[in-house]
């Protein structure tokens, strides 16, 4: 899978919706719902920092409402 190939370096952590990410050692959040994604996002980011991740790959949730809010927040956090 393409996410596993990106994460092969070992210091990459992956956050996303369950249907968009495979379960591998690199996945630290595989949310079943957008609400679960939003609720677990900051804990997952802290975990990635604690584990010394060099790169955090966040697969953006699809949809409107809360999914749009989460996407916007992640896009702003990613910088220009």
């Amino acid at each position: 899978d393409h996410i596993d190939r990106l994460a092969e370096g070992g210091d990459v952590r992956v956050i996303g919706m369950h249907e968009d990410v495979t379960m591998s050692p690199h996945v630290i959040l595989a949310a079943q719902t957008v609400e679960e994604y939003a609720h677990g996002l900051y804990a997952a980011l802290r975990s990635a920092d604690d584990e010394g991740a060099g790169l955090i790959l966040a697969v953006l949730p699809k949809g409107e409402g809360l999914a749009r809010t989460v996407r916007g927040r992640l896009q702003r956090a990613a910088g220009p």
Side-chain angles (χ1 to χ4, degrees):
D1 159 271
H2 62 283
I3 292 174
D4 280 335
R5 284 192 301 271
L6 286 171
E8 281 177 357
D11 66 344
V12 176
R13 298 298 178 267
V14 180
I15 297 168
M17 296 296 296
H18 179 74
E19 66 267 14
D20 296 327
V21 298
T22 60
M23 290 311 299
S24 78
H26 305 289
V27 176
I28 56 174
L29 176 63
Q32 295 290 331
T33 66
V34 174
E35 291 79 9
E36 184 181 336
Y37 190 117
H39 183 76
L41 179 60
Y42 289 103
L45 293 172
R46 281 191 302 277
S47 174
D49 283 342
D50 291 345
E51 294 174 13
L55 177 68
I56 301 168
L57 175 61
V59 180
L60 301 177
K62 300 171 189 84
E64 296 301 317
L66 183 56
R68 179 186 288 202
T69 302
V70 170
R71 284 194 310 272
R73 182 63 191 103
L74 285 169
Q75 289 166 337
R76 285 189 304 279

